[in-house]
């Protein structure tokens, strides 16, 4: 009885909110047309809901938690959000500024009223002129309809993946992710893993507008055209369908007659878009595109000029998914991997965007691996070959190419990689780099890298139902696909180790990785204290100060600022003796001649803490001095030369120097603190004696 009353209350509130047609800003009086869209603006980012922690709640912005917020759309001043992941619901933000449930809330395929209905990984959403909401129900391979009163029905699709035109349940889709509705009530669908654009007529008949039988990149008419993983669609005033063509890194346009052209992007040319996920259009032909790989929201003018209105190296979104244009021209954005929904407003010209907290919260729960390793035996012991934040080179001679983003576990080539925790695929591009050394697979919050995804050592499929092996026109393996919404359980086979002879685990989205040591692994132990091999001061030319007096390093007070560089490394229990690992945290103090800490140095300045990855590419050269690292994988020992006067911690990045002019003439001691994740601290070689003159 209580459940029935609650559902009725939801319907009443929903209907009232939709009927109100209220605005977040005062409605102008008189026949005022829409203002021209400003170009090249920068966004002030405001939080509408979610605190960066995955959850299932609705209420005020602070009380609401999302699992996988994806599609967003505005109806009047009501904001609708498709929340996938474990929530599988449609919510809306109403007059009171709070989020309320409209429909769903459990994983399944069921029509019905409000919470009685069920979805499986709802993605894109769109409104028609009658106030009905249409949902690309990705995991159910169907297009669903939700009335203003919360009544859910199925428009097309039958819950089975496939490709078939037809009417209603006779039609089949394969993981549709994008949906748009025209003024004539036609529904346009980005049929993602069929690589096609489909149309649903008002009478329920489904037909194919454009796209062919395999992924590719071809302009042309109808079935001659090729898309590669289209994830969203939007309609312009002329009836053209704009397509976010994810894996082609392109923006495509389909005419009402099915003629496909490319708006942004060139096959084999310079990449201008970085994984376009969603597209939204203004009344005057300006497009906004959310990018998966860069974490940006990009504005495209009618003349073709592009600028990022939000998201950059320092303030990137974790995985910007759905984007929608509000009545006042501002933007609504769902940041799926951050479990947040944002409002982006134009800033006045010349005003710098303020720094705000983006990405998932550091307090977001870790995957429930229950001490499992990604290799058998999952509760045994395995050698660790790399940790978060270590310096890594490339195969072109650059020894400081990037920071290591995860936790490496040694294994034999061909050994099966196993899931460590239950998870649901959220990314529409969950696999990458087929046949490359960095081939990998993203499962919920975890990335598994350096393996043949979905294949054994002989390239035979491990699970053809969940891993789709796609061949090119010559019959050669072109890629492995795993649909958004696919679930895995601990111990499920994910692939086999490639020639890198280890599996790499990364926790969290790119740019927001957390230290995977925190997962805890069976029989993993570290009782070995880090070792400090060297402490040096470097001048502005990266040259080491060498002059000494009475055993102390001579430092001139009138000299430029200096970098404090410490070479140190760590080991863990039972690893091979040659296996050097990076440290977790380092800092320093300055002591006077009596051993007392100078003001401001009472506690060590722990400037380097690899608890969370900074998103900037240059972070590796902020954390590490020249001559760090090795250029290729192998038996050579890696040199970790940390720059302690710089800051790399909490996802932040900045440079700094030790200023001799701030010290009075006399003797000083620089004391280094160097710890591993287990709390072991280097006990020797940690002091550098100075004489400041």
């Amino acid at each position: 009885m209580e459940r029935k009353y609650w559902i009725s209350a939801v319907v009443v509130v929903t209907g009232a909110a939709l009927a109100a047609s209220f605005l977040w800003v005062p409605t102008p009086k008189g026949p005022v047309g829409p203002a021209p869209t400003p170009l090249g603006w920068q966004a002030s980012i405001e939080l509408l809901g979610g605190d960066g922690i995955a959850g299932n709640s609705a209420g005020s912005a602070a009380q609401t938690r999302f699992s996988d917020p994806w599609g967003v759309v505005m109806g009047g001043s009501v904001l609708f959000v498709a929340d996938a992941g474990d929530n599988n619901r449609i919510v809306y933000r109403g007059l009171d500024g709070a989020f309320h449930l409209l429909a769903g809330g459990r994983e399944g395929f069921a029509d019905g009223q409000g919470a009685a209905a069920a979805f499986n990984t709802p993605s894109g959403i769109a409104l028609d002129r009658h106030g009905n909401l249409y949902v690309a129900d990705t995991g159910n391979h169907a297009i669903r309809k939700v009335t203003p009163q919360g009544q859910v029905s199925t428009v097309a699709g039958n819950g089975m993946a496939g490709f078939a035109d037809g009417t209603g349940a006779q039609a089949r889709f394969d993981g549709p992710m994008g949906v748009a509705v025209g003024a004539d009530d036609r529904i346009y669908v980005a049929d993602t893993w069929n690589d096609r654009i489909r149309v649903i007529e008002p009478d329920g008949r489904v037909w194919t507008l454009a796209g062919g039988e395999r992924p590719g990149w071809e302009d042309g008419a109808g079935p001659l055209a090729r898309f590669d993983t289209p994830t969203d669609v939007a309609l312009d005033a002329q009836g053209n369908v704009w397509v976010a063509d994810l894996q082609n890194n392109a923006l495509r346009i389909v005419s009402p007659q099915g003629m496909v052209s490319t708006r942004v992007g060139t096959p084999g040319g310079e990449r201008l878009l970085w994984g376009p996920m969603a597209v939204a259009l203004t009344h005057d032909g300006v497009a906004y595109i959310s990018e998966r790989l860069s974490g940006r929201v990009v504005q495209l003018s009618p003349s073709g000029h592009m600028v990022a209105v939000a998201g950059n190296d320092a303030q990137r979104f974790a995985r910007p998914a759905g984007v929608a244009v509000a009545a006042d021209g501002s933007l609504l954005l769902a940041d799926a991997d951050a479990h947040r929904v944002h409002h982006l407003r134009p800033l006045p010209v010349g005003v710098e965007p303020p720094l705000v907290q983006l990405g998932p919260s550091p307090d977001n729960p870790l995957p429930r691996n229950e001490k499992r390793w990604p290799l058998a035996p999952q509760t045994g012991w395995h050698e660790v070959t790399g940790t978060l934040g270590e310096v890594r080179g490339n195969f072109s001679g650059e020894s400081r190419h990037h920071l290591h983003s995860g936790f490496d576990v040694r294994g034999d080539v061909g050994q099966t990689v196993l899931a460590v925790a239950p998870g649901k695929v959220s990314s529409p591009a969950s696999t990458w780099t087929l046949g490359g050394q960095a081939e990998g697979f993203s499962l919920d919050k975890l990335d598994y890298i350096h393996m043949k995804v979905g294949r054994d050592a002989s390239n035979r499929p491990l699970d053809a139902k969940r891993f789709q092996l796609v061949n090119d026109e010559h019959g050669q393996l072109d890629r492995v696909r795993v649909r958004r919404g696919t679930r895995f359980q601990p111990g499920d086979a994910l692939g086999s180790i490639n020639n890198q002879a280890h599996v790499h685990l990364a926790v969290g989205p790119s740019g927001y990785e957390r230290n995977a040591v925190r997962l805890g692994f069976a029989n993993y132990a570290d009782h070995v204290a880090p070792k400090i091999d060297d402490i040096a001061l470097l001048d502005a030319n990266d040259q080491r100060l060498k002059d000494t007096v009475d055993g102390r390093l001579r430092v001139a007070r009138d000299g430029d600022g200096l970098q404090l560089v410490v070479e140190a490394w760590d080991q863990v229990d039972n690893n091979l003796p040659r296996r050097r690992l990076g440290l977790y945290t380092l800092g320093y103090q300055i002591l006077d001649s009596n051993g007392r800490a100078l003001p401001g140095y009472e506690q060590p300045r722990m400037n380097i803490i690899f608890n969370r990855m900074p998103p900037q590419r240059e972070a590796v050269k902020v954390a590490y001095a020249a001559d760090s690292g090795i250029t290729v994988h192998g038996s050579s020992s890696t040199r970790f030369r940390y720059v302690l006067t710089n800051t790399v911690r909490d996802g932040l990045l900045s440079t700094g120097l030790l200023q001799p002019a701030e010290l009075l003439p006399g003797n000083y001691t620089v004391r280094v603190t160097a710890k591993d994740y287990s709390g072991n601290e280097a006990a020797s070689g940690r002091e550098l004696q100075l004489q400041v003159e």
Side-chain angles (χ1 to χ4, degrees), residues 4 45 69 73 114-116 133 184 294 305 497 560 570-571 608 614 647:
K4 181 178 180 181
I45 304 172
V73 68
L133 188 74
D184 58 359
S294 71
H305 180 69
I497 293 179
D560 295 329
D570 189 35
Q571 290 185 313
I608 294 181
T647 298

Side-chain angles (χ1 to χ4, degrees), residues 337-359:
D337 272 358
H339 320 293
R340 303 179 194 264
V341 176
H342 296 286
H343 191 186
L344 311 183
R345 297 177 183 267
L347 283 167
V349 176
V351 176
E352 287 293 320
L355 295 178
V356 296
Q357 184 176 4
L358 298 179

Side-chain angles (χ1 to χ4, degrees), residues 370-417:
E370 298 178 357
K371 297 186 178 298
R372 299 183 193 90
W373 297 81
L375 301 172
Q378 288 198 279
T379 55
W381 175 87
H382 299 273
E383 186 175 16
V384 176
T385 61
T387 61
L388 186 78
E390 293 184 359
V391 59
R392 286 290 187 269
N394 59 18
F395 293 92
S396 301
E398 172 58 71
S399 65
R400 293 182 298 162
H401 181 261
H402 63 278
L403 290 176
H404 189 246
S405 63
F407 183 80
D408 288 347
V409 181
R410 197 207 72 80
D412 296 328
V413 174
Q415 187 173 356
T416 303
V417 178

Side-chain angles (χ1 to χ4, degrees), residues 37-43 45 232 234 242 244 249-251 263-265 271-282 285-313 315-317 319-325 329-334 344:
T37 301
L39 300 178
W41 56 274
Q42 294 294 293
I45 304 172
D232 198 23
W242 293 54
N249 298 298
L251 189 63
R263 181 72 174 87
V264 178
R271 183 184 296 187
L272 300 175
L273 291 174
W274 294 81
M277 292 268 282
V279 57
L281 300 175
T282 68
V286 174
Y288 293 99
I289 306 105
S290 63
E291 294 183 319
R292 183 182 72 92
L293 296 175
S294 71
R296 305 184 303 172
V297 176
V298 174
Q299 182 193 65
L300 173 68
S301 75
S303 64
H305 180 69
M306 288 199 304
V307 62
V309 300
N312 53 49
D313 279 349
Q315 284 270 279
R316 64 178 293 171
F317 297 105
R319 185 190 289 152
V323 61
V325 180
S330 61
L331 299 180
L332 294 310
L333 177 74
L344 311 183

Side-chain angles (χ1 to χ4, degrees), residues 24-77:
W24 293 350
V25 295
T27 304
K29 296 181 179 180
V32 178
T37 301
L39 300 178
W41 56 274
Q42 294 294 293
S44 171
I45 304 172
E46 303 170 16
L47 183 66
L48 291 181
D51 60 359
I53 297 176
N56 185 354
S57 60
S60 67
Q63 295 171 329
T64 300
R65 284 184 172 173
F66 301 101
S67 178
D68 182 16
W70 201 272
V72 290
V73 68
M74 289 290 296
S77 59

